[in-house]
Structure formats: C-alpha cells, structure tokens
Amino acid sequence: MPKWTRQRLNTPDGDFIDVDWRKDEIDLSPERPLVILFHGLEGSSSSHYAQAFAHETHQRGWHMAVPHFRGCSGEINWAPRAYHSGDFEEVGWILSRIREQHRGPLYAVGISLGGNALMRWAGEMGQTATKYVDAIASVCSPIDLTASGKAIDAGINKWLYARMFLGTMKPRAMEKLKQFPGLFNPHTLMAAKSLYEFDQVFTAPLHGFKNTDDYWARASAKPGLSRVQVSALVLNACNDPFIPASSLPALNQVSAWVKLCQPEAGGHVGFASGTFPGDLQEMPWAVTDWMSQHG
C-alpha cells in the first residue's frame, strides 16, 4: 500500500483542493517525471487504480500526485458546488498550480470521469496545453456522457452500479445542503433512482447547466478530440459495461495528436492479467511506457 503526504491548494473561489503526493517523493530528483492522476467518480488516492499507478511510478523512479476533486478527499468542501465530468476549468487550474512546482516532464492521467474532464481540457486548450503537460492519457473514460449515462442507468448496471454510486453521492449532497440550505430539493434528490435523476437535481444546476441533457452534451470530451494538440492516449476497453463500444471515437473524429487504443477486453479500469483475481499492473505499465515515449 502506498503512503501519501497531503498538500492543500487554496482555490480562487475560497475553497480548497487536496493533493496527495506519494510519500517517497522527497528522495527523488525534482527533474524526474511527474504523473498527475485525476480520479474517477467517487474516487480518491485510495482507489485501486491510484495504488497501481503509485506502484508503477515508484518502480520507474517517477513522482506521482493525486488531486482530489472537491469533496472527495474525506472533508467536505466549502463552496456551494462539488465536481462533475466536464470540470475542465478545475483540471486546468490544478495543472497550472502543479506545473509551477515541478521542473521535469509532467504527465497527466485521467481515470473514468477524470479522463473525460482531462480530455475536455485538452480540447479547449489546443496547443496551449503543451505549456502545462508533456503528454496525457484517459483510461476507460465516458467521453460520450449521454451514451455512458444511459448505459449505467439501464438493466443490471442500474441495479448494481448506479445504486452503488448513489449510495455515496446522496449523503455527500445532503451534507452540502446542510451548508447551504435551499440549494436543492432534498425530497427530489433522495427519490432519485438513476444518475440521470441525480444530475437533474444536483450536478447540473450546481455547475451552471440547464439540466442533465445539457450537462451530458456540453461536458462530453468526444466533440473536442479533433482539437487536441498535445500527445494524448485514449484507452477504452470494448467490453466496458459503462461505455458502449458504439460510442467510442473513430480515427476520423480525433486529431493526429490522439492515439486511440480500444482492446476487446479490460472492463472498466480493470485490464487484469494472470490468474484470478489478476494483477492490475499491466495497464499502469502500458500507460506510463507510452507516455515515456511520447512526452
């Protein structure tokens, strides 16, 4: 298990972002590469993929940091907002702050929700992105939020996964309501049975979207992949239960800077190898190896 040391960044709107650094950073040269990992929905530095990347970066002698989206570091954030799949302004602010601290190569990896936000940022920034990062990667990211949202809210996914996500998202939303009474209707939120309904009550209105449909359409990274001008890897397994293979981008929908990797198997942030339950190091190794060649 990796050990982390925490840094708190104060945001321009009077809130904070907690960044966990792998604890052995102090022994590494500041010129060594740094991997910044943006976690997925309800994720953190404790997520299995963060631990796998921590192991891989340690093996390579690289630095690593995990910024927590607001409310995901174990302490409720102070502002009347949370985080969302298209939070590219937040991603950009975090990258700019960490770029100020680091002299060596800087790579950014986004897992699931974090990958969509990262790719959304790259599409917005164009060539300017290279001022902050040397290469980026999204892993199992729902870059077409409408397609993925419908997939999670349907069939067995709704019973297994949507219910699991809502089990943590609803209590956090209710904590936010205690901070800011009247922010949303608690009865409507607690009655939500799908991510669509939750986003309609909470995520969309708190972050400047008209409704869930507007949020899912405007926050999706897929339309902006043709504008990306920094080395980028977009990795999606075709059997990901959250992301229909039919919604994945084709070569004619991305810029020449974007490398598409769409293996048949891997599930959602799995890519296990070996005998059951499997070794989860293959994916972090492949991503960091690609970055070392393209950054």
Side-chain angles (χ1 to χ4, degrees):
M1 291 284 289
K3 294 182 179 179
W4 307 95
T5 184
R6 180 156 291 183
Q7 175 189 22
R8 176 156 290 186
L9 303 178
N10 295 315
T11 63
D13 62 344
D15 209 342
F16 66 89
I17 295 290
D18 284 332
V19 183
D20 282 358
W21 294 81
R22 215 185 56 238
K23 203 167 186 178
D24 59 0
E25 301 296 293
I26 193 170
D27 300 323
L28 295 177
S29 163
E31 285 79 20
R32 300 291 290 174
L34 163 64
V35 169
I36 301 174
L37 185 139
F38 292 98
H39 62 77
L41 182 64
E42 299 296 273
S44 71
S45 61
S46 297
S47 297
H48 73 274
Y49 48 78
Q51 296 176 31
F53 269 94
H55 175 78
E56 181 60 36
T57 52
H58 174 75
Q59 293 294 107
R60 292 179 181 269
W62 292 7
H63 301 275
M64 179 175 166
V66 181
H68 291 85
F69 290 117
R70 302 195 198 198
C72 293
S73 66
E75 181 178 339
I76 190 170
N77 61 303
W78 302 329
R81 60 156 293 173
Y83 68 103
H84 62 89
S85 296
D87 221 349
F88 69 90
E89 296 97 341
E90 193 91 294
V91 165
W93 183 84
I94 292 169
L95 289 174
S96 67
R97 286 295 307 272
I98 296 180
R99 177 79 275 182
E100 293 171 359
Q101 303 176 40
H102 184 71
R103 298 198 298 269
L106 194 155
Y107 305 128
V109 178
I111 306 295
S112 196
L113 174 149
N116 181 79
L118 176 62
M119 288 297 167
R120 181 80 172 77
W121 170 81
E124 287 291 324
M125 295 295 286
Q127 192 174 17
T128 309
T130 57
K131 292 174 56 178
Y132 303 97
V133 294
D134 294 274
I136 62 175
S138 69
V139 178
C140 298
S141 298
I143 52 179
D144 180 336
L145 289 170
T146 300
S148 295
K150 290 179 178 179
I152 294 174
D153 281 343
I156 193 170
N157 280 348
K158 181 176 182 179
W159 187 79
L160 285 176
Y161 301 114
R163 187 170 66 170
M164 176 187 70
F165 288 133
L166 292 172
T168 58
M169 292 163 65
K170 285 182 178 181
R172 288 191 189 185
M174 295 303 289
E175 287 184 25
K176 187 59 60 179
L177 187 64
K178 291 179 183 177
Q179 285 180 303
F180 300 96
L183 196 61
F184 58 84
N185 186 316
H187 304 293
T188 306
L189 182 129
M190 293 306 295
K193 296 292 192 296
S194 64
L195 293 186
Y196 184 97
E197 293 173 355
F198 180 89
D199 287 344
Q200 186 83 357
V201 179
F202 184 80
T203 314
L206 259 67
H207 301 103
F209 300 99
K210 295 177 183 178
N211 49 40
T212 299
D213 293 324
D214 181 50
Y215 162 43
W216 287 358
R218 290 170 51 200
S220 293
K222 186 177 178 180
L225 293 180
S226 61
R227 302 191 299 271
V228 173
Q229 295 186 55
V230 63
S231 294
L233 173 67
V234 178
L235 171 61
N236 291 93
C238 290
N239 69 341
D240 190 326
F242 298 166
I243 302 169
S246 60
S247 71
L248 296 179
L251 284 174
N252 64 356
Q253 295 176 304
V254 305
S255 76
W257 293 85
V258 177
K259 167 68 174 178
L260 297 178
C261 184
Q262 299 171 357
E264 288 298 317
H268 189 69
V269 201
F271 301 101
S273 60
T275 57
F276 183 84
D279 183 348
L280 298 179
Q281 289 303 135
E282 184 174 345
M283 181 269 288
W285 176 87
V287 170
T288 51
D289 192 62
W290 180 88
M291 288 181 149
S292 68
Q293 298 176 44
H294 293 83

